[in-house]
Amino acid sequence: MLTEAFPKLNDSRAVQQLRAFLRSGWFIGIIVALMACSELFSLELYVIYAFVIFGLAIVLVSEDTLPLVPMVVCGYMLFSAKNNPGMHPDGLFSHAYAQYALVFAILVIAVLLIGRLISKLAQRRKQGVPKLLVGFALLGIAYLLCGLFTEGFDARSVFFGFVQVAALSGFYFYFYFTIDWDKVPEDYIALLFTIVGVGLLAQIIGTYFNPGAPGLDGEGDRGKLYTGWGVWNCTGCVMAMCMPAPVYFAVKKKHGWLFTLISCVYFLGVFLTQSRGAILFSAVVFLACIVYNLVVSKGRERLYNAIVYGALVLGAVLALLIFSDQLAAMFRSLLEDGLESQPRLNLYQQCWQAFLESPAFGKGWYSSPGEQFVNGNIAANGDPALANYFIPGFAHNTFFQLIACGGILAFVAYLIHRTQTILMVVRDPSPLKIVAFLCISSMLFTSLVDNHVFNLGPGILYSVLLIFSERVPTKKAPFPKRA
């Protein structure tokens, strides 16, 4: 905005260098490092205001909002376990000064984002119509009307429906109109999620230092593996979403086996979260990554990638043989919980019954069957513990959630949206779109046994992956030449 008001600043060497830095991998690394340090060492307010300063610099001198993308992706993952309000009600944000500081920072960031959007729209560049507009519009209408003609339809339910669709599509539309897509490096989003994986892995390791967390002796509670922004299932989902990102570089760059190795490390990081759903479905996505990597890579690169995958299998076998007792003890709770599926099946049956009672529009977000963690305990919709809780209980399955809270309307709208996202990849299967689709698939698959599609944080990551898949210019051939 500043450079638009004073065009001569565009010729300044300092401005040009700052712009180059803000669009570089180094800046992504700094943002991810701040995210990890904030969560590990409870530095939220310091990091949030560092984001404010960076945001101000971006809005004033950057050509577009591309440098905002790392902060959008990392922003919700910077809250620490020590200040998790669900686990530690007396944490930092229970104090008025921290609440005021957080609200002020959010307001400043919102003003900056809105100001930049207005300035970009004022340039009146021809942008076209977003490809996913129809699907998102239908999904938004369905979410707003969840529970229509039932007691579950009220202002609270409508507002939550708005928040849901805003999380899934808000930054999709925002970046569609505020980024100069013809100038975006093709590998930017893959690089971002690859680097985010490093910071997230550090956070996952940090969860094992929480009081009461399980150790190598198997003692401890898996429920203590939480961060400030989510429990073990949440970290497992996002780690699974980062896992395919390095495969983009494995098939595009020389010495791609190094990135194959990184992807393998991220896969092992999913196991560290001890999230059953993330482990199961990340394995499915990981197999797809292996197939794509070995099919696309050529010659020695294919051999090196195969050696990495072979070493992973060999290492897993040796670990099972040598450390069988320790591994069995460490994941005992994981295995035991995996056998206790009846409560979840009962929840699905309740969702089906709710659908039969209100098939067109469902029972609404807060009246449909669902469960949620509140202060470390499980509470169901209708329980007093959830009476004033903004996030409702969820069904832990995308389709049962849709039919229970939104009925046929929500289910059909979701299918239309999902069809559009799949066709976007099938019609133009570039390496970027395939890898981004694998990242998204990790979220969608784990949502078959959890509620990540309806969690606000993963929804933001989802929207960012979609817009890069749609807008970044790429070569159509899925078998690229090596750099």
Side-chain angles (χ1 to χ4, degrees):
M1 293 172 62
L2 186 63
T3 53
E4 293 168 3
F6 303 96
K8 290 186 178 181
L9 289 176
N10 290 311
D11 299 326
S12 168
R13 183 176 181 182
V15 170
Q16 293 175 356
Q17 290 178 338
L18 180 57
R19 283 177 171 176
F21 167 71
L22 292 173
R23 300 172 72 89
S24 69
W26 292 107
F27 181 67
I28 295 176
I30 289 174
I31 295 300
V32 172
L34 288 173
M35 174 198 76
C37 290
S38 176
E39 199 283 325
L40 292 171
F41 305 111
S42 304
L43 302 174
E44 290 96 326
L45 289 182
Y46 299 100
V47 172
I48 289 171
Y49 276 88
F51 277 25
V52 171
I53 294 172
F54 282 132
L56 181 61
I58 292 166
V59 168
L60 290 179
V61 305
S62 181
E63 297 173 285
D64 60 10
T65 61
L66 180 65
L68 290 176
V69 176
M71 292 193 288
V72 167
V73 169
C74 295
Y76 90 101
M77 293 187 285
L78 57 81
F79 295 94
S80 67
K82 181 180 177 181
N83 294 318
N84 185 320
M87 302 294 182
H88 303 283
D90 58 345
L92 174 65
F93 295 101
S94 66
H95 301 288
Y97 77 89
Q99 296 173 5
Y100 293 144
L102 178 62
V103 170
F104 178 75
I106 292 174
L107 290 175
V108 172
I109 292 173
V111 170
L112 293 175
L113 292 176
I114 295 172
R116 192 54 175 153
L117 175 63
I118 293 173
S119 69
K120 294 296 289 186
L121 292 177
Q123 295 176 12
R124 299 182 181 276
R125 295 183 60 187
K126 188 177 181 180
Q127 296 282 358
V129 178
K131 294 180 180 179
L132 303 181
L133 173 62
V134 173
F136 272 131
L138 292 175
L139 196 64
I141 293 172
Y143 279 10
L144 292 175
L145 297 180
C146 282
L148 185 65
F149 304 126
T150 70
E151 295 180 356
F153 183 73
D154 54 20
R156 185 186 181 201
S157 180
V158 172
F159 180 68
F160 186 77
F162 170 78
V163 172
Q164 278 284 304
V165 75
L168 289 171
S169 66
F171 283 107
Y172 167 84
F173 290 110
Y174 183 85
F175 289 130
Y176 184 96
F177 293 106
T178 61
I179 290 179
D180 296 330
W181 290 102
D182 55 340
K183 299 179 181 179
V184 176
E186 181 181 333
D187 63 358
Y188 189 87
I189 195 65
L191 179 63
L192 171 58
F193 273 76
T194 298
I195 298 176
V196 167
V198 177
L200 182 59
L201 187 59
Q203 291 188 9
I204 292 171
I205 294 173
T207 62
Y208 280 85
F209 292 90
N210 291 343
L216 293 177
D217 57 0
E219 298 296 328
D221 180 7
R222 179 171 64 118
K224 302 301 182 181
L225 298 177
Y226 60 86
T227 62
W229 51 273
V231 296
W232 65 96
N233 286 330
C234 299
T235 56
C237 172
V238 181
M239 189 77 256
M241 292 180 73
C242 292
M243 180 190 65
V247 176
Y248 172 87
F249 299 100
V251 302
K252 290 279 285 186
K253 303 292 184 181
K254 291 181 179 179
H255 309 297
W257 66 270
L258 292 171
F259 295 96
T260 299
L261 179 61
I262 293 173
S263 180
C264 291
V265 172
Y266 289 176
F267 180 52
L268 296 176
V270 177
F271 277 81
L272 285 179
T273 67
Q274 299 195 32
S275 170
R276 289 169 291 164
I279 291 172
L280 173 63
F281 291 109
S282 68
V284 175
V285 176
F286 187 65
L287 288 175
C289 291
I290 293 175
V291 172
Y292 179 68
N293 194 351
L294 295 181
V295 168
V296 174
S297 55
K298 303 293 183 180
R300 289 186 177 181
E301 293 294 334
R302 177 183 292 171
L303 175 62
Y304 295 153
N305 288 328
I307 290 174
V308 171
Y309 289 130
L312 176 66
V313 174
L314 179 60
V317 172
L318 291 176
L320 289 173
L321 293 175
I322 298 174
F323 304 106
S324 57
D325 293 338
Q326 293 90 333
L327 289 173
M330 185 175 181
F331 292 101
R332 183 178 296 115
S333 63
L334 175 66
L335 297 174
E336 291 174 350
D337 290 345
L339 299 175
E340 299 176 358
S341 59
Q342 192 59 44
R344 191 63 57 83
L345 294 177
N346 290 338
L347 184 57
Y348 297 161
Q349 291 175 356
Q350 294 172 31
C351 289
W352 179 251
Q353 184 61 38
F355 168 69
L356 294 178
E357 294 175 2
S358 182
F361 299 100
K363 288 294 192 79
W365 291 103
Y366 296 94
S367 298
S368 60
E371 296 176 343
Q372 184 62 266
F373 276 100
V374 180
N375 297 328
N377 299 311
I378 296 178
N381 284 338
D383 290 352
L386 276 177
N388 297 314
Y389 206 65
F390 177 68
I391 305 297
F394 290 118
H396 300 277
N397 175 277
T398 302
F399 300 107
F400 280 111
Q401 181 70 50
L402 288 169
I403 63 173
C405 74
I408 294 174
L409 179 62
F411 184 73
V412 171
Y414 180 83
L415 288 183
I416 293 173
H417 169 67
R418 183 59 52 234
T419 300
Q420 284 190 316
T421 61
I422 293 174
L423 290 177
M424 187 170 63
V425 179
V426 172
R427 290 172 176 171
D428 182 16
S430 66
L432 172 62
K433 289 188 176 182
I434 291 173
V435 170
F437 181 74
L438 289 172
C439 294
I440 291 173
S441 296
S442 295
M443 172 184 166
L444 298 180
F445 283 146
T446 54
S447 295
L448 294 176
V449 292
D450 218 309
N451 37 269
H452 303 300
V453 167
F454 305 98
N455 287 339
L456 306 184
I460 293 174
L461 273 58
Y462 173 81
S463 68
V464 170
L465 285 165
L466 283 180
I467 190 58
F468 273 80
S469 298
E470 176 180 337
R471 294 288 283 161
V472 173
T474 59
K475 297 179 180 179
K476 291 187 177 181
F479 305 99
K481 295 181 179 179
R482 297 201 170 272

